[in-house]
Amino acid sequence: MVATILIPVQPSTGFRGKLGPALDNQVAVGSIDRLPSMSDCAVHLELLDAIVRVEGEVAAWGKEKGLAEGVAWNVYCSAAARRFLKWSHLAEANKGNTPPLDVLIVWHAYMLNTAAYRQYENQVLKGRMGLKGINWAVVHRRIDDDNRFNISAEEAATMNHLPFPVDLLGALKSEEVKIDSASFSPSTNFDMVAAVQRQLKFAHKMHDAKWLRSPFAVQILETAIRRYEMFFTLIAEHPGISLSPTPDIDLVWHTHQLSPKCYGLYSALKANGKFINHNDNVGRPVLAGAFDSANTLFRERFGSEYQVCYCERCMVSRAPGGHTRNDESSDCSGNSCIPQTCSNSCKADCSGDSCQNDTNAAIGRALAPGGHVRNDESSDCSGDSCIPQTCSNSCKADCSGDSCQSENI
C-alpha cells in the first residue's frame, strides 16, 4: 500500500463493556479534520476480526456444499458487491445507517481505494451517499465477544425495506439466494470483489497480531496514531516519493479513510490542499521500494526506528524503567521481533510497576470520557495524558475502581 498525491481538493469482555460508552459519549467539537481516535482504531480491529470469522463460516458452508476452496468466499463477495450497489443508491445510505456485514465488507474495501471511491461518490451517486463513513459505535454494538457480527431482531425489522435478505450467508444456506445468481460480480469500473480479497489479507494480519488482547493495547494504539501523524508528515513533505506504511501505521491510515470527509479535510490541511490517495493494488517490487524510502526518511526526519515490535517483551523493555528476563532462548530481538513469532516465547517473569497492567482497567480508563484520575496531588498523572508505563511508578495510591491506577497482572 503506497501513498500518492492527487489533485487538490478480540478484546476482553471488560474492554467491550467500557468501549461502548466511550464511543457513545465522544464529543465531536472541532473534530471534522481530526486524526482517528483510539476508539475508532479499536473498533476497526473488532471489525477485521469479524471479517475473518465470517470468512471461516463461509468456507465451512462451501465445504458442506462441495465447493472448491475459495469458491464459496468468491460467491459471497460477488453477491455482497451486488447488494452494496443496491444499498448505496438507497436513501438509507444517506442517513449513515450501518448496513449488513457483507455490504459493510464491500463498503470498507471500496473506501480504502480512496480515489476510486471518491469518483463513485461524486460521479455516480452525485454526493447523495454522504462521506461520513462507518459509524464505529454501531459496529461495536453489533460485534460480540466471539467476533460475531449480529443484527438484533429489532434492527432487522427496520431493514425490511431492503431489496435483499439481511443475512446473506443465511440466505445462501437456505438457498433463498442461489449460488449461480450470486456468483457473478457486478459490471462496474472498479472491481469490488478483488478489493475485498486484497483487504482480507490485511484483516488476517491484524487478527493474528492480537493487539486488542495485549496488556499494552492502549499504548500500541496511542503509538500507532502518533506514528501515523509522523508518516503523513513525510507524505506531505515528499510529494514525489511513494511511501509504504508499517502495519500499525496502516491500521490508523485505513481507519482514517473509513471516515472519508474527515480524511479528505485532514489531507488537504496537511498536504497544502492536495488529496493523498491510498493505493492497495501495487506489486511487491513497488511496495518494497516504497517501504525502503519510508524507512530511510522516517529515521532521518524523526530520529527513531520505522519498524516497531509490539510483542509484550519488547513493550516492557521499551517502557521507562522497564525490565526483561535474561533468557537467551527467546527469539525476541527488538525491531526484528513480531507478535506472531515471539508471543509464545516471551515468558518474562515480570513483577513490579514497570511491567504490564491489567488490560481491562487500563483500556477502560484510556477510552472512557475524561480518562482517569487519582486523588493524590503529588502524582504526575493528569487524566488522558497518563498511561500505565509512564506513570505507574508515581501512582502509588491504594486505589480501587476503574477511575485510578490499579492492578498488575
Side-chain angles (χ1 to χ4, degrees), residues 117-196:
Y117 182 74
R118 282 163 63 91
Q119 183 179 27
Y120 179 72
E121 215 294 318
N122 293 329
Q123 296 182 9
V124 179
L125 297 180
K126 308 299 183 184
R128 294 191 305 273
M129 188 171 173
L131 290 167
K132 289 186 178 180
I134 292 178
N135 185 326
W136 295 116
V138 173
V139 171
H140 172 71
R141 288 197 296 270
R142 287 188 181 176
I143 299 174
D144 66 19
D145 295 335
D146 294 320
N147 302 326
R148 291 188 184 88
F149 189 94
N150 300 306
I151 295 179
S152 67
E154 292 78 9
E155 279 188 294
T158 67
M159 299 180 180
N160 57 15
H161 64 287
L162 293 175
F164 47 71
V166 172
D167 179 7
L168 174 58
L169 181 55
L172 286 167
K173 289 179 177 179
S174 68
E175 299 187 354
E176 182 179 358
V177 174
K178 303 296 183 182
I179 292 178
D180 290 343
S181 65
S183 300
F184 298 97
S185 299
S187 178
T188 64
N189 292 330
F190 179 73
D191 192 338
M192 289 176 276
V193 174
V196 171

Side-chain angles (χ1 to χ4, degrees), residues 283-301:
R284 287 181 179 272
V286 175
L287 275 178
F291 189 88
D292 288 343
S293 297
N295 187 29
T296 299
L297 292 173
F298 195 93
R299 294 178 68 178
E300 290 176 351
R301 176 69 166 80

Side-chain angles (χ1 to χ4, degrees), residues 18 22 38 218-219 222 357-376 379-397 399-407:
K18 297 181 179 69
M38 192 158 48
V218 170
Q219 293 87 335
E222 285 180 334
N357 288 322
D358 177 77
T359 308
N360 298 346
I363 298 178
R365 284 193 301 272
L367 295 183
H372 70 281
V373 295
R374 180 170 74 88
N375 292 325
D376 183 348
S379 171
D380 63 357
C381 272
S382 54
D384 291 322
S385 63
C386 169
I387 60 175
Q389 285 102 316
T390 59
C391 70
S392 58
N393 289 330
S394 59
C395 293
K396 300 293 189 180
C399 303
S400 61
D402 290 333
S403 61
C404 190
Q405 289 301 117
S406 55
E407 315 86 353

Side-chain angles (χ1 to χ4, degrees), residues 5 230-241 243 270-272 276 297 301-302:
I5 294 185
M230 297 159 74
F231 175 76
F232 215 93
T233 297
L234 292 181
I235 295 174
E237 291 178 349
H238 301 277
I241 300 177
L243 303 176
K270 296 297 182 180
N272 297 317
I276 306 300
L297 292 173
R301 176 69 166 80
F302 303 110

Side-chain angles (χ1 to χ4, degrees), residues 6 47-48 68 75 89 117 143 230 240 244 289 300 305 307:
L6 300 183
L47 176 59
L48 296 176
V75 167
H89 283 83
Y117 182 74
I143 299 174
M230 297 159 74
S244 179
E300 290 176 351
E305 293 296 330
Q307 300 183 69

